[in-house]
Amino acid sequence: MEKLAIIGGTGLTSINTLEITQREVMHTPYGEPSGPLTHGKMCGREVVFLARHGTGHTIPPHMVNYRANLWALKELGVEKILAVAAVGGIREDMPPGKIVIPDQIIDYTYGRDHTLFESDLTHVTHIDFTEPYCNEMRGLIIEACQSSGIDFTDNGTYGATQGPRLETAAEIDKMERDGCHLVGMTGMPEASIAREFELCYATCAVVANWAAGRSEGPITMEEIDRHLSSGMERVAAILHHLTPYCYPT
């Protein structure tokens, strides 16, 4: 049976509808994951949940141990991963509150442990990353969005920046010229490491704010929290419909 994992980002450190059965502390060859792995059931199906930034939301994006997180999920037999992420909207059609299922990504991060293939190799390994998200998982998320009746966009390019600071208006202008629709801080190397582990991984992005220079005044945490609160309610509805789709009869 295929096992589903949910990686929760900012605004999603727990899932109220998850019937928790146990929490498991794991140790990996890459160090410690962000926190305990939470096992439970949703809609009668087995689900594993991991808070990307830790249960207390204390781990900044550039300090997340992406390799350890994904190794732990792989070790538990996870095959499919839904990664929830809070992002900023760059294009006019990506306003705060929007749910987006991106299909492409551009990596602007640096200095992160971004691959499994760097030492004790028998040969140099290159992975195909033409389509960075698993099309099967994207299709399941899109189907769940449609079933829940939630307004969403089924494509877009996620620009992954280093953080933890937010971007300048000029940086966002450059990202838009590069073709980015969204900006976030955790999309890479999470997506590429998932591919190296041969995990079926896709992202559900919640637009929490306009990106820098796309609205009047500075970006505030009050604005972000307000949009995340309503956005995560929609994510919960998506999860309710998604879980059965990930476990075909």
Side-chain angles (χ1 to χ4, degrees):
M1 179 178 291
E2 297 176 342
K3 188 180 292 186
L4 171 67
I6 300 162
I7 299 177
T10 299
L12 188 66
T13 56
S14 63
I15 302 176
N16 292 335
T17 56
L18 181 64
E19 299 175 15
I20 298 173
T21 56
Q22 68 166 322
R23 288 185 172 89
E24 182 175 3
V25 175
M26 297 187 68
H27 306 283
T28 87
Y30 303 102
E32 303 305 304
S34 294
L37 285 295
T38 301
H39 298 258
K41 289 189 175 181
M42 186 180 297
C43 302
R45 275 76 168 188
E46 187 175 357
V47 173
V48 179
F49 176 78
L50 176 63
R52 183 187 291 118
H53 299 283
T55 53
H57 198 265
T58 57
I59 306 172
H62 66 296
M63 297 297 290
V64 172
N65 193 335
Y66 298 96
R67 295 190 298 182
N69 287 348
L70 291 161
W71 186 95
L73 293 175
K74 176 82 171 182
E75 185 72 5
L76 291 175
V78 164
E79 296 183 11
K80 291 183 170 68
I81 297 177
L82 167 65
V84 180
V87 300
I90 296 176
R91 303 288 182 90
E92 290 184 358
D93 58 345
M94 301 287 171
K98 189 79 170 183
I99 299 290
V100 185
I101 316 303
D103 60 343
Q104 278 295 328
I105 196 164
I106 298 178
D107 188 8
Y108 300 94
T109 66
Y110 51 86
R112 302 184 181 191
D113 293 325
H114 67 281
T115 182
L116 310 175
F117 304 118
E118 59 183 7
S119 61
D120 300 322
L121 302 178
T122 58
H123 61 279
V124 176
T125 301
H126 303 283
I127 60 164
D128 176 62
F129 207 50
T130 306
E131 304 294 335
Y133 300 108
C134 173
N135 284 326
E136 178 187 358
M137 190 62 188
R138 288 190 70 252
L140 294 172
I141 300 169
I142 289 169
E143 189 174 356
C145 288
Q146 293 169 336
S147 298
S148 61
I150 289 172
D151 179 43
F152 74 102
T153 297
D154 64 2
N155 62 81
T157 298
Y158 177 126
T161 59
Q162 180 67 0
R165 69 165 177 85
L166 297 172
E167 301 72 32
T168 69
E171 287 171 331
I172 293 299
D173 289 341
K174 176 185 184 299
M175 292 177 70
E176 183 170 21
R177 291 193 297 271
D178 286 348
C180 295
H181 300 80
L182 308 164
V183 57
M185 300 177 187
T186 59
M188 287 291 290
E190 193 172 85
S192 59
I193 294 173
R195 179 62 54 84
E196 290 183 349
F197 274 122
E198 299 182 342
L199 294 165
C200 185
Y201 171 101
T203 291
C204 177
V206 180
V207 182
N209 57 278
W210 285 113
R214 295 299 183 267
S215 63
E216 295 182 5
I219 300 169
T220 66
M221 288 308 302
E222 289 79 9
E223 174 193 7
I224 291 174
D225 289 342
R226 183 174 69 254
H227 291 298
L228 276 182
S229 178
S230 59
M232 291 306 165
E233 290 179 4
R234 291 192 287 278
V235 169
I238 294 169
L239 292 176
H240 178 77
H241 288 85
L242 173 68
T243 308
Y245 295 150
C246 291
Y247 294 85
T249 55

